[in-house]
Amino acid sequence: GATAAGTAFVMPAGVTNIGTDLRNDHPVSITYTENKAGLKATSTTLTGWAGAATIGALLRNNKVECGSCHDPHEANNGTFLRVANAGSALCVGCHAK
């Protein structure tokens, strides 16, 4: 079963306690441009991703947001990832490289 990570305002110490400024390591509010940086078509089918069947379903207003990679209700893949990152699966879900 899932375990709560913290309260509504505080994350526990460790990997989940990453602060509020994610610009140095997370692509937040980045426009998804097919073929740029090897990005696949938004119609590409995803396999094993929680809550999304295509890349387009991961985007909000054609932008990569927190919810593109993370689902706060997903506890099976660690750090709320939509898919386990073994073999860089999170990256190659969208990038062809």
Side-chain angles (χ1 to χ4, degrees):
T3 303
T7 69
F9 302 104
V10 179
M11 295 298 283
V15 69
T16 57
N17 190 9
I18 58 177
T20 58
D21 186 352
L22 306 178
R23 292 175 293 184
N24 68 339
D25 58 13
H26 275 72
V28 179
S29 261
I30 303 296
T31 300
Y32 190 96
T33 305
E34 294 178 4
N35 297 316
K36 185 177 181 181
L39 291 174
K40 299 175 184 177
T42 57
S43 60
T44 300
T45 301
L46 298 170
T47 303
W49 284 63
T54 66
I55 292 172
L58 296 172
L59 306 175
R60 183 171 174 95
N61 297 323
N62 204 45
K63 291 185 179 238
V64 176
E65 300 290 355
C66 301
S68 300
C69 301
H70 301 275
D71 179 344
H73 306 287
E74 178 55 53
N76 295 320
N77 300 316
T79 58
F80 309 106
L81 293 176
R82 288 185 178 273
V83 67
N85 200 27
S88 299
L90 189 72
C91 304
V92 298
C94 297
H95 289 273
K97 298 178 180 183

